[in-house]
Amino acid sequence: MNIIEIKDPKLNKTDILNQIAAQMDGKVVPDFATIGPEKLRHAVPNRVSLEQGNESSNHEAFIDLMISHQLEEPAFTSEAPIIGPWIVRLRQVWNWMSTKWYVLPIIKQQSDVNGQIAVLLLEMETWMNERNQTIANLEEKVNRLESIITANQLSEK
Amino acid sequence: MRIHQLVPSMSPGDATSNHILEIDKRLTEWGFESHIFAHGINHKIEKKIRPLVEIRPLLKQKNDLLIYHYNIFHFSAHLFQTAQCRRILIYHNITPAHFYSEWDKSNANNCRLGRFLLQRLQQCDLAIGDSDFNRQELVEAGFDVGKTAVVPIFLPVDEWNALPIDTTLQKKMRKSKSTNWLTVGRLAPNKALEEIIRLFHVYKNQINSDAHLYLVGSQTIKTYSQEIKNLVNSLDLSSSVTLPGRVSNSQLKTYYQNSDLFISASYHEGFCVPLIESMFFGLPIFARNASAIPETLGHSGILFNQFGYLEAAEMAHLMITDAALRQQIISTQKQRLQAFLPDAAEARLREALQQINVLSTLENT
């Protein structure tokens, strides 16, 4: 794969690349793999290898929990003809004081708790996925070691 | 007909927020009753935006239309899922989680959930991507290809033209007559800013010692931002690399107008507004051939596949010093810009609404 991509048909790609090549002679690039913070030395993670097979079967449940953690105050309705809207209005006025100063703060409190639980569960799920990955890697290593040991034992015989 | 736009948060200067305001303006001009609802509302624009809680009763109105802007995992997605009115999803893309996993667990979780949830938002009348790259992600997530469209981000070009220059910053940038490299966007791992800094190090040490790099963008991911600063110090570049953080619009315009090259090493962009800003301000673009970047650039700008630091540094130098090459790049970029100007975006929005017969509903009433 070429390092430089030139798509503009009005530019002379060959000429540009030749000019660059001529300029590069004798210049040296430092070994960046040994310079700067350790975490920045590696290449940016490969998308495919890291995005596959990471989701647990619980994921859909977490999604449901996360998006429905916010409680809702139910709306008053009435099916009664003509006086229905009056009944609704009356109940709204009647409940306004307790709802605004008592029920709504409790709803908010509960929504916050629900949200925190959802986040905590998600973090636990992430942690478990990471541990599972570690266990899988260790199992693979053990299998490899076992086959080496078996091969050694066979060759000794 | 009423159209409600719903978004997790709105703040001034943000590209998505601006896009929403521009759509609102068009919808109102076309005769719709248009409202915007958000959960997080910045106080500077709160007059135009209604709190999220007020949208709930409206979602039961079958004749209304809900447009949900999806750019992050948020519980408001539930409102979109359960709405009984007609629904359009506008997908602004979510960065794949793995870019953040080593740097910010919370962000990584949000991205992972956000991308996962996307598969569950398929039940809608139309799904729109800002780019074809985003539209294809929608199709990959299971959306019906026949119910997808592309509407580019509305750009505030009038505002850009009217913005004053920050003269103090301009004097500072042009004081030493140095060659200025610019990159714009929040400091995030998918942007691979470490690669830009290394490339700049090669450029400065091997080609042009009188050069300066400006990394403009918010530094909300503290761990990554700190390591980027550590890298700058390790390479002894602290006097020639500036990280001003998030800047005002006037300052941003000044950075664009006083730089010699725009560079992006980003591995993942759903659209990349800074590329369009560079086209607008006549700054040659040197960017990675990845995600939506080649689509946004079309035939304009120069792309790189990987660094090749010396080769890439020489290319950057040529783009800055070869006047004919530079002019040609800027000219092609200006042509490409036409596809993203407000009139073009407006036409695409019209087409998209026509796709679900929303405009004809208006004409019939």
Side-chain angles (χ1 to χ4, degrees), chain B residues 253-272:
Chain B
K253 180 175 178 176
T254 312
Y255 278 114
Y256 277 114
Q257 290 199 330
N258 292 281
S259 294
D260 302 288
L261 179 81
F262 180 85
I263 183 151
S264 167
S266 185
Y267 283 87
H268 189 89
E269 297 292 335
F271 181 77
C272 201

Side-chain angles (χ1 to χ4, degrees), chain B residues 226-237:
Chain B
Q226 188 51 53
E227 290 290 57
I228 285 295
K229 287 172 191 167
N230 293 343
L231 178 64
V232 168
N233 291 333
S234 311
L235 293 172
D236 205 17
L237 289 171

Side-chain angles (χ1 to χ4, degrees), chain B residues 45-61:
Chain B
I45 50 170
E46 66 188 353
K47 276 182 191 165
K48 294 177 187 170
I49 321 297
R50 293 170 65 181
L52 191 72
V53 67
E54 289 181 16
I55 201 174
R56 288 183 192 276
L58 302 170
L59 300 178
K60 291 174 186 157
Q61 307 299 319

Side-chain angles (χ1 to χ4, degrees), chain B residues 143-357:
Chain B
F143 285 75
D144 178 352
V145 68
K147 290 183 179 177
T148 59
V150 176
V151 176
I153 292 266
F154 277 94
L155 304 166
V157 288
D158 292 341
E159 191 190 322
W160 289 345
N161 277 325
L163 277 171
I165 288 288
D166 183 325
T167 48
T168 315
L169 176 62
Q170 187 173 36
K171 274 180 198 159
K172 205 172 139 191
M173 286 182 79
R174 285 298 174 199
K175 197 175 171 186
S176 62
K177 292 189 178 168
S178 65
T179 298
N180 295 325
W181 285 26
L182 175 70
T183 187
V184 175
R186 75 196 177 107
L187 272 60
N190 59 304
K191 313 265 184 198
L193 296 167
E194 62 276 19
E195 294 189 29
I196 292 180
I197 291 165
R198 289 186 200 122
L199 177 66
F200 179 73
H201 175 83
V202 171
Y203 178 75
K204 190 171 167 65
N205 282 285
Q206 302 283 345
I207 300 169
N208 177 5
S209 60
D210 193 8
H212 201 103
L213 169 64
Y214 294 91
L215 302 169
V216 176
S218 66
Q219 299 173 13
T220 46
I221 302 166
K222 303 284 176 209
T223 47
Y224 181 72
S225 302
Q226 188 51 53
E227 290 290 57
I228 285 295
K229 287 172 191 167
N230 293 343
L231 178 64
V232 168
N233 291 333
S234 311
L235 293 172
D236 205 17
L237 289 171
S238 46
S239 59
S240 39
V241 175
T242 302
L243 294 103
R246 195 186 169 106
V247 299
S248 69
N249 287 345
S250 277
Q251 285 171 328
L252 188 60
K253 180 175 178 176
T254 312
Y255 278 114
Y256 277 114
Q257 290 199 330
N258 292 281
S259 294
D260 302 288
L261 179 81
F262 180 85
I263 183 151
S264 167
S266 185
Y267 283 87
H268 189 89
E269 297 292 335
F271 181 77
C272 201
V273 171
L275 295 179
I276 310 293
E277 291 170 341
S278 299
M279 290 175 190
F280 184 82
F281 291 112
L283 192 57
I285 299 164
F286 191 31
R288 187 181 299 278
N289 188 15
S291 59
I293 291 171
E295 179 193 336
T296 303
L297 285 178
H299 285 140
S300 72
I302 303 279
L303 295 164
F304 56 84
N305 290 306
Q306 78 275 354
F307 291 144
Y309 286 109
L310 198 50
E311 201 166 339
E314 291 291 357
M315 183 71 241
H317 189 55
L318 207 59
M319 290 171 76
I320 295 164
T321 53
D322 183 327
L325 172 69
R326 187 178 171 81
Q327 268 321 305
Q328 181 55 47
I329 293 171
I330 292 170
S331 157
T332 311
Q333 287 180 182
K334 288 276 183 203
Q335 284 167 26
R336 180 62 182 154
L337 177 67
Q338 304 303 312
F340 302 104
L341 290 177
D343 285 351
E346 188 178 306
R348 300 294 289 271
L349 178 65
R350 253 182 188 282
E351 277 171 34
L353 292 179
Q354 201 61 59
Q355 210 170 320
I356 56 166
N357 298 321

Side-chain angles (χ1 to χ4, degrees), chain A residues 35-95:
Chain A
I35 306 169
E38 178 69 31
K39 273 177 94 172
L40 291 177
R41 290 182 196 175
H42 314 294
V44 171
N46 179 295
R47 172 176 178 162
V48 178
S49 64
L50 281 161
E51 295 262 301
Q52 281 174 352
N54 257 350
E55 311 297 357
S56 85
S57 56
N58 291 325
H59 224 78
E60 297 222 4
F62 286 123
I63 297 266
D64 286 338
L65 187 60
M66 293 288 284
I67 60 180
S68 59
H69 75 265
Q70 200 91 343
L71 298 184
E72 286 177 55
E73 185 191 357
F76 291 124
T77 53
S78 172
E79 300 290 318
I82 305 168
I83 56 162
W86 290 100
I87 296 172
V88 170
R89 185 79 193 121
L90 191 68
R91 287 180 69 182
Q92 278 172 339
V93 172
W94 185 258
N95 285 285

